[in-house]
Amino acid sequence: MSLEVIDRHSDALFEFLWCPVCGHEVFSHIPFEGVFCKNCNTQVVLRESQETRGYEEAILACFDTDTTWNLHVDEKLRRDLPDGSARAKIFGTRDGYEVDWWSPKPGEEWEPVERGEFDDVEEPDSVSHLA
């Protein structure tokens, strides 16, 4: 018996992707469990989009905070998603990606954390990374 591994998404997509909860760019893959932000443990599920508009890849990145730790401890370093989840449609090729839209749409009620937004903010020693 053999197992064939199919890489459905390129490494370049994961280099582009960032967490809208904490702004970090490093993700961990746990086999049979999923892909999670290495900093805050927000889960991301990638799905292929039905519509590509001529791009090589069209991906729906679905973020879920059910597994996220410490949203309640320090809101200065993390921003919760509305109703615990959000989706981004990402278009691109291996040479570059762009976010087409967010759902729910960012506005007065919610804004995703930008890539590296909290990089210059020190987390207090009293904030544990384990819930």
Side-chain angles (χ1 to χ4, degrees):
M1 180 161 137
S2 66
L3 175 66
E4 179 183 3
V5 177
I6 299 172
D7 292 325
R8 297 180 69 192
H9 305 291
S10 68
D11 290 339
L13 175 63
F14 283 98
E15 290 174 15
F16 166 80
L17 201 61
W18 77 96
C19 177
V21 172
C22 69
H24 284 87
E25 305 170 33
V26 179
F27 294 88
S28 298
H29 174 242
I30 302 171
F32 307 110
E33 293 293 327
V35 177
F36 301 88
C37 172
K38 196 163 187 164
N39 183 60
C40 72
N41 209 44
T42 296
Q43 184 173 17
V44 59
V45 175
L46 300 177
R47 295 191 171 103
E48 291 185 43
S49 175
Q50 303 260 340
E51 186 252 332
T52 64
R53 288 193 214 162
Y55 287 93
E56 188 175 306
E57 287 186 86
I59 307 297
L60 287 177
C62 306
F63 299 92
D64 190 326
T65 58
D66 283 345
T67 59
T68 303
W69 48 61
N70 287 340
L71 277 173
H72 61 284
V73 174
D74 195 339
E75 292 179 358
K76 294 177 189 160
L77 300 176
R78 294 170 183 85
R79 191 170 303 139
D80 198 5
L81 303 176
D83 297 324
S85 66
R87 294 180 304 157
K89 186 170 191 176
I90 301 169
F91 282 136
T93 65
R94 297 181 195 292
D95 297 327
Y97 291 89
E98 64 184 60
V99 174
D100 184 45
W101 53 253
W102 283 95
S103 176
K105 188 176 180 178
E108 290 181 20
E109 300 294 318
W110 172 75
E111 281 288 328
V113 174
E114 293 299 321
R115 179 189 321 272
E117 184 175 327
F118 299 132
D119 284 355
D120 59 343
V121 179
E122 289 290 324
E123 188 167 270
D125 292 335
S126 60
V127 176
S128 167
H129 281 285
L130 300 175

